Amino acid sequence: MKRTFLQRCAAAPHLVWCALFIIAPLFFVAYYAFTDSSGAFSTENIQRFFTAEYLSILLNSVCLALIATVVCLIIAYPLAYIISRMGDKGQRMMMLLIMIPLWMNFLITTYSWMTILQDTGIINSILSFFGLGTLNMINTPGAIVVGMVFCYLPYMVLPIYSVMAGIDKSLLEASRDLGCGTLGQLTGVIMPMSVSGVVSGITMVFVPSISTFYISQKLGGGKIQLIGDSIESQFISYNNYHFGAALSLVLMILILISTAIMNYFTDEDEKGREKRDTQRRALK
């Protein structure tokens, strides 16, 4: 349908916003990634990314991001299920509690975990009080994962909960009439229908986790180098915009590829479910 002049004018601010803050930055990232300090075309920056040093950093980043994403999923899925089974008042209260960390400053949240996990922190103070010794928790990969999970857990809970809360209750009633118990409803109805929420949650947690740098700097003490730290150091410490842009560009492409793969399997699952529903309606 052809849009009117008024509709095009209404969309103009959005298009300008996209051009200024999405397309233009991507253009500059690509430009710096494929040029050297003199402005001449070069692939040296991209090639440098695929050396053993930076591939090791990328692998470390992917591993920690995957661990944080899996932990978030393990916590968020049953939590979202429990919340979706509550009454309206209970759901609103739980959503408020889950969203409160999102209102806190990221800096304050990270420093709070530094206080909790450090050698003289709250946990070690309690262990020392009971004569159990102390644990070295700060400046470790585990501390980084804990920080990621705490900061990004709401991004896993919210999409899964929104999908579960939107499931037609008549489907659950029908499955109960057919003899399904709670476990049968969960595995046969809720889990297949919540795949899209799970994929959205995985994407929303994995992407910021793999590119984070502040959490790893403060909770890792600078001892654990992630790809986000490398990008930040190239721009801030070394003023090497060209290699920093190359790191950013390759990381962005890898994230887009992984996201496309997850979306592909989600679309295939939804198409298969729609086909089965169509066949059932035809049989009826």
Side-chain angles (χ1 to χ4, degrees):
M1 184 176 64
K2 188 176 181 180
R3 294 187 301 174
T4 64
F5 176 75
L6 185 60
Q7 289 174 327
R8 290 196 295 270
C9 290
H14 174 71
L15 296 176
V16 172
W17 178 274
C18 291
L20 289 177
F21 298 103
I22 298 178
I23 299 176
L26 290 177
F27 170 79
F28 283 111
V29 168
Y31 170 77
Y32 277 102
F34 288 101
T35 56
D36 55 21
S37 57
S38 63
F41 176 80
S42 174
T43 60
E44 181 182 353
N45 296 312
I46 303 296
Q47 293 173 358
R48 184 181 171 189
F49 178 90
F50 294 98
T51 58
E53 177 185 0
Y54 288 100
L55 287 178
S56 176
I57 293 174
L58 176 63
L59 179 61
N60 194 27
S61 303
V62 171
C63 289
L64 291 182
L66 283 175
I67 294 172
T69 302
V70 171
V71 173
C72 284
L73 180 60
I74 292 173
I75 297 173
Y77 199 90
L79 180 59
Y81 174 76
I82 294 171
I83 296 174
S84 66
R85 300 300 99 194
M86 292 180 175
D88 293 339
K89 186 175 180 180
Q91 290 186 26
R92 289 194 294 269
M93 179 59 66
M94 290 301 297
M95 283 296 100
L96 177 63
L97 294 176
I98 290 172
M99 293 180 66
I100 283 177
L102 299 178
W103 301 344
M104 298 174 61
N105 186 278
F106 196 75
L107 179 90
I108 296 175
T109 301
T110 307
Y111 268 97
S112 298
W113 275 107
M114 290 176 62
T115 304
I116 294 172
L117 298 177
Q118 64 186 357
D119 295 338
T120 57
I122 297 173
I123 296 177
N124 279 324
S125 297
I126 295 174
L127 293 176
S128 299
F129 178 79
F130 289 102
L132 299 176
T134 59
L135 298 174
N136 180 26
M137 295 176 287
I138 198 69
N139 301 336
T140 62
I144 296 175
V145 171
V146 169
M148 290 179 180
V149 170
F150 182 83
C151 291
Y152 303 131
L153 180 62
Y155 298 111
M156 182 70 77
V157 176
L158 294 176
I160 297 177
Y161 159 76
S162 64
V163 172
M164 287 186 175
I167 295 176
D168 192 347
K169 290 183 173 55
S170 62
L171 295 176
L172 301 178
E173 294 173 358
S175 64
R176 193 179 299 113
D177 293 339
L178 293 173
C180 286
T182 302
L183 182 60
Q185 287 181 343
L186 180 62
T187 58
V189 179
I190 296 175
M191 291 182 69
M193 298 188 69
S194 60
V195 171
S196 60
V198 171
V199 173
S200 297
I202 290 174
T203 304
M204 294 175 67
V205 172
F206 180 76
V207 171
S209 294
I210 196 176
S211 57
T212 187
F213 63 92
Y214 192 79
I215 294 176
S216 57
Q217 286 179 357
K218 297 305 178 183
L219 298 182
K223 297 179 179 179
I224 302 164
Q225 185 82 356
L226 301 183
I227 192 67
D229 300 312
S230 299
I231 295 173
E232 188 264 350
S233 62
Q234 292 299 324
F235 281 104
I236 304 300
S237 302
Y238 303 121
N239 291 323
N240 189 350
Y241 293 173
H242 299 276
F243 186 53
L247 291 174
S248 303
L249 182 63
V250 175
L251 178 61
M252 181 178 61
I253 292 173
L254 294 175
I255 290 174
L256 290 176
I257 292 173
S258 62
T259 303
I261 292 173
M262 288 189 293
N263 289 336
Y264 172 78
F265 286 108
T266 304
D267 293 340
E268 289 295 317
D269 181 76
E270 291 179 352
K271 289 178 182 177
R273 187 165 59 247
E274 291 175 359
K275 183 178 180 180
R276 290 192 296 269
D277 293 340
T278 303
Q279 291 174 344
R280 292 194 191 100
R281 287 194 293 269
L283 292 174
K284 292 180 181 179

